[in-house]
Amino acid sequence: MVTIDTSKYFRVVEDIGRMRIHSSTKAVFKALDILTSIVLEAEDVNTLVKYYPNLASSLVKSRPASALMSNIIRDFTLRINNLLQKGGLELAKDRVREESKSLKDDIKRRNNTVAIIASRRISDGSTIMTYSYSTVVKTAIVNAIDEGKYVKVYIPESRPGSEGLEMAEELSEVGADVTVFVDSATRYMMKDVDIVLISSEAVAANGAVVNKVGTSLIALAANEARVRVFALAQTLKFYPGTFLGELIELGRAEPRSFIREEVVEELRGVEVYAPVFDVTPPEYIDAIVTERGLVAPQAVVFIIRDIYGWPPKIPSLDYELKRMRNIGGIA
Amino acid sequence: MIPESVLKLAEDIKAMRIRGAGRIARAVAKGLAEAATAYTGDSLEEFNEYIRRVAKLLRETRPTAVSLPNAISYILSRYKRDLEYIERVHEARESIITHATEFIKYSLEAVKKIGIIGSHMISSGETILTHCNSSTALEIIIRAFKDGKDIEVFATETRPKCQGYITAGILKRNNVPTVLIPDSAIKSIMKKIDKVIVGADAIAANGAVVNKVGTSLIALAANEASVDFIVAAETYKFSPVTVLGELVEIEERDPREVCSEKFFRYKKIKIRNPAFDITPPEYIDIIVTERGLIPPQAAILVLSEDYGWIIMDRMIKLTSALEE
């Protein structure tokens, strides 16, 4: 058996886990690239089976709240398994790029549809508030601008991580008038806002939306000011595994990711708590924009029933990985 | 004509070498007393004109700082009341000095008293959230801890200037278990919190509290989670300027506090940096003052005790304006 140096792949896994790659779409694309490379590098099925399952589960664990990540990696693994069974590693190598591309294209297509539907909610001259960095929200705003609408975008810096600043740069480059402020000023700024667009890491079965920490505060402030909140989420982000309501496991950020270096020493002994995600309850969300159209958060269960049946049969990654090991002869 | 020492003091406030609501207020009182002491003329009318100029100078050092005019009003409103009986300059000078000294002494004692009164509201085992760096709020928290209450404190980072680091440092030196959180995590951690305690820069007549930006967002999240929201404030922070409900103008500070130089290259990016926000009275459970605990709705009573005549004066003016 030939060994593969996977350290460079695990570095990317770490980048995803530490939110250095914050957009969940981008993170999933990276994950697909890694798994594709492993398939291409493996010289025999045994080598593949030695490395693939470990990397696949590490990727899913790196973004525990990302429904898109677990859905796509499971689906990709299923496709690779089918290829292995049909034509062995040779066929898998032959087709792996295509499979990866078709999954990416599918994600992009759904995101674009979501963005088109969302952009219809943006009226000319309106002020949009968004939060953190999101590919699909960006596309929705770009669509609105391309349609000739004048839009102003308000973005809190989105600490820790300050992904809002990156979003601000990119939106200003496509012609939006952007205003940046600290997260604390959200309520102060809300009075000028017409519509809030947020992205999502996952949508739970009760319609609650998991997203970058701080999103729930924005939604709360919008609710108080009677500003409509739309969450943009293609249905691959719908999470059938969360019938426990809001008990999706949420990761924590590193203390050093937000405390300034020069005070780390001075504040030794002070604990730091920095969750990465929070949960916005369904009552603060007016609608979820999916590629199938607008959905009330209370209607998310219908879509989940459509996709996964009722009670939902959740296909598991572990099952697919076991299948792969069986194919490799390691039960 | 204005003495050198007062000009220097004004300069120190302007350059933020003197900062913090309480410290600014006491510095202004000191300035008025020094100006009164240095006055040598013997016309009462000219003295009043001179004091008005000193007050204007001090008030304009930081036009939007809210504690500053309150300290001036505290002294001058009492002085105006005395004026009914004052005939000579030396009596006028005496009056200003007395009220200024009284203000400084009272302001220092008030923080201590608030600490004692407020600490009774905290029970052992509670988790407290505070925002920014308020010496009055910290007085309550540290007092409760020193009284043997087993408490834990969550301190927000408080962007952009990160005064939360100062708060965390002070709490750490006092051995109070402390957790630092980013401002965006407020709603996530609210279910762990028993009481929110914050300071105030000013309190309007309707009980609305002007404080560091983000305070109103915390109050909203606390309200949603049914967590007690407590404001610690000396009564001189109650602002007579707002008796008719005038909104306090919010100071927008240098955008460079928010993000690095490179963002200023973008023509289409604007950076806003409001220093304060206004928390509506319905989100505030209680205000701890040196005179005791008051509901925000009673702010108008505190004001009428201290500035009764001003309030009447304004009401009359408003009424006659409406009649015209």
Side-chain angles (χ1 to χ4, degrees):
Chain A
M1 199 187 328
V2 190
T3 54
I4 300 176
D5 178 20
T6 51
S7 57
K8 62 175 182 288
Y9 300 132
F10 278 103
R11 271 200 296 279
V12 182
V13 174
E14 204 186 308
D15 281 350
I16 296 173
R18 300 238 153 128
M19 297 296 285
R20 284 183 207 121
I21 300 165
H22 29 74
S23 150
S24 61
T25 309
K26 284 182 185 171
V28 168
F29 283 15
K30 284 267 183 210
L32 283 172
D33 291 344
I34 290 175
L35 296 177
T36 303
S37 304
I38 285 291
V39 173
L40 290 173
E41 279 181 52
E43 292 201 351
D44 50 47
V45 177
N46 280 344
T47 318
L48 180 70
V49 167
K50 185 179 166 196
Y51 295 105
Y52 186 101
N54 195 5
L55 263 171
S57 15
S58 302
L59 282 164
V60 170
K61 279 187 202 126
S62 72
R63 284 293 273 264
S66 172
L68 190 63
M69 182 71 91
S70 53
N71 278 332
I72 292 297
I73 289 189
R74 188 189 56 243
D75 203 8
F76 182 75
T77 310
L78 181 144
R79 291 175 184 208
I80 296 297
N81 282 344
N82 290 348
L83 291 171
L84 288 173
Q85 267 179 339
K86 213 168 131 198
L89 187 58
E90 208 162 313
L91 182 67
K93 276 175 188 276
D94 246 21
R95 299 268 295 275
V96 64
R97 283 205 178 90
E98 258 170 70
E99 294 296 352
S100 165
K101 186 171 180 299
S102 92
L103 284 169
K104 284 183 184 173
D105 287 347
D106 183 40
I107 294 171
K108 281 191 214 155
R109 208 164 30 240
R110 290 174 198 244
N111 264 351
N112 286 339
T113 314
V114 169
I116 287 167
I117 298 171
S119 69
R120 287 187 202 133
R121 298 281 137 187
I122 302 172
S123 12
D124 187 23
S126 60
T127 301
I128 305 161
M129 190 183 282
T130 183
Y131 189 69
S132 190
Y133 183 93
S134 157
T135 318
V136 62
V137 171
K138 187 187 158 189
T139 315
I141 293 171
V142 170
N143 286 347
I145 293 171
D146 288 348
E147 286 162 24
K149 293 172 187 166
Y150 172 75
V151 291
K152 279 213 277 197
V153 184
Y154 277 19
I155 313 179
E157 58 177 346
S158 318
R159 296 264 293 162
S162 302
E163 299 88 4
L165 298 180
E166 194 178 327
M167 183 78 162
E169 280 183 81
E170 293 188 13
L171 285 174
S172 74
E173 279 160 7
V174 296
D177 267 327
V178 183
T179 303
V180 175
F181 42 90
V182 294
D183 302 331
S184 282
T186 301
R187 185 173 178 273
Y188 180 82
M189 302 297 286
M190 191 59 80
K191 56 182 173 292
D192 303 333
V193 174
D194 300 303
I195 179 176
V196 172
L197 300 180
I198 56 171
S199 65
S200 67
E201 185 82 356
V203 176
N206 62 346
V209 169
V210 179
N211 199 35
K212 171 78 201 273
V213 68
T215 304
S216 69
L217 255 183
I218 308 269
L220 175 66
N223 180 264
E224 185 206 27
R226 299 183 190 177
V227 173
R228 288 198 187 279
V229 177
F230 292 92
L232 279 56
Q234 50 169 300
T235 56
L236 284 172
K237 289 183 173 178
F238 283 28
Y239 209 50
T242 51
F243 283 93
L244 286 173
E246 294 173 6
L247 296 178
I248 284 182
E249 199 187 313
L250 308 176
R252 291 188 181 197
E254 297 169 274
R256 275 174 192 270
S257 74
F258 92 93
I259 288 196
R260 282 209 299 254
E261 202 60 44
E262 65 266 25
V263 288
V264 165
E265 197 50 44
E266 190 192 320
L267 294 181
R268 192 171 291 280
V270 171
E271 202 189 311
V272 168
Y273 179 71
V276 177
F277 298 110
D278 68 16
V279 179
T280 303
E283 57 271 31
Y284 298 151
I285 296 163
D286 289 279
I288 295 164
V289 186
T290 75
E291 73 278 15
R292 300 184 182 190
L294 292 187
V295 178
Q298 293 75 13
V300 166
V301 279
F302 289 109
I303 293 191
I304 283 177
R305 184 181 64 180
D306 255 18
I307 303 174
Y308 301 98
W310 188 269
K313 278 192 259 325
I314 307 157
S316 92
L317 174 65
D318 285 346
Y319 171 80
E320 288 303 329
L321 293 178
K322 210 173 143 198
R323 234 182 102 201
M324 185 179 275
R325 289 194 187 96
N326 281 332
I327 296 167
I330 311 167
Chain B
M1 264 251 296
I2 296 174
E4 203 55 44
S5 67
V6 178
L7 292 174
K8 187 183 173 299
L9 191 138
E11 203 44 57
D12 284 346
I13 298 174
K14 198 180 259 174
M16 288 183 76
R17 282 188 289 271
I18 300 175
R19 52 181 166 169
R23 274 186 295 272
I24 289 178
R26 286 188 291 274
V28 164
K30 188 165 159 262
L32 275 174
E34 278 176 14
T37 310
Y39 187 76
T40 48
D42 55 8
S43 150
L44 185 57
E45 214 168 284
E46 276 171 22
F47 177 79
N48 283 338
E49 176 51 36
Y50 163 77
I51 287 296
R52 250 194 297 278
R53 269 194 293 127
V54 174
K56 185 167 179 280
L57 167 82
L58 291 170
R59 189 176 283 134
E60 283 171 358
T61 50
R62 280 188 67 189
T64 47
V66 264
S67 75
L68 196 151
N70 287 357
I72 298 174
S73 313
Y74 178 99
I75 297 158
L76 294 192
S77 66
R78 281 163 177 77
Y79 170 65
K80 272 187 191 158
R81 215 159 21 184
D82 291 353
L83 264 182
E84 277 185 45
Y85 314 101
I86 287 172
E87 285 166 358
R88 294 237 184 75
V89 169
H90 76 88
E91 291 166 345
R93 191 190 295 140
E94 255 337 281
S95 165
I96 297 266
I97 294 168
T98 307
H99 294 306
T101 318
E102 177 191 290
F103 175 81
I104 294 169
K105 186 163 168 267
Y106 137 72
S107 143
L108 289 171
E109 279 171 4
V111 176
K112 279 223 170 79
K113 276 191 198 153
I114 291 171
I116 295 168
I117 298 170
S119 68
H120 291 309
M121 303 177 70
I122 299 177
S123 313
S124 207
E126 283 187 339
T127 304
I128 316 283
L129 172 67
T130 189
H131 185 53
C132 197
N133 179 241
S134 155
S135 47
T136 322
L138 280 178
E139 183 81 18
I140 294 177
I141 292 166
I142 292 168
R143 179 91 201 186
F145 184 74
K146 287 194 172 152
D147 285 347
K149 287 170 185 166
D150 173 24
I151 54 171
E152 184 179 35
V153 180
F154 277 66
T156 56
E157 182 183 27
T158 321
R159 288 275 297 150
K161 300 266 280 179
C162 299
Q163 291 93 333
Y165 297 164
I166 302 173
T167 297
I170 294 172
L171 288 168
K172 187 193 116 180
R173 282 194 290 285
N174 283 279
N175 302 314
V176 185
T178 306
V179 184
L180 199 58
I181 57 161
D183 302 310
S184 56
I186 285 159
K187 190 170 177 292
S188 310
I189 56 100
M190 195 53 83
K191 52 179 168 291
K192 297 183 184 161
I193 305 295
D194 297 295
K195 288 189 172 80
V196 179
I197 305 179
V198 296
D201 282 85
I203 296 173
N206 64 347
V209 166
V210 181
N211 194 40
K212 172 63 61 191
V213 70
T215 304
S216 77
L217 192 57
I218 297 179
L220 173 65
N223 183 264
E224 186 212 24
S226 298
V227 169
D228 295 339
F229 190 89
I230 299 165
V231 176
E234 304 89 317
T235 52
Y236 73 82
K237 289 179 175 169
F238 287 69
S239 171
V241 181
T242 55
V243 279
L244 296 179
E246 293 163 46
L247 274 183
V248 178
E249 195 196 328
I250 301 294
E251 176 182 5
E252 292 247 358
R253 296 182 54 83
D254 188 351
R256 277 169 182 79
E257 290 178 357
V258 178
C259 46
S260 62
E261 209 56 45
K262 78 169 201 181
F263 283 91
F264 297 90
R265 288 201 316 256
Y266 296 97
K267 273 205 200 92
K268 291 211 146 255
I269 299 184
K270 187 173 158 193
I271 291 140
R272 296 273 306 265
N273 186 17
F276 307 107
D277 66 15
I278 299 172
T279 303
E282 57 270 30
Y283 295 155
I284 299 163
D285 289 286
I286 209 124
I287 302 173
V288 187
T289 75
E290 74 283 6
R291 296 185 202 163
L293 303 176
I294 66 156
Q297 291 75 10
I300 188 81
L301 290 181
V302 174
L303 283 168
S304 69
E305 276 173 29
D306 292 346
Y307 307 99
W309 64 274
I310 294 185
I311 295 176
M312 288 317 292
D313 194 39
R314 281 172 184 249
M315 291 293 186
I316 290 160
K317 271 188 198 146
L318 179 75
T319 318
S320 50
L322 289 176
E323 279 166 0
E324 274 166 19

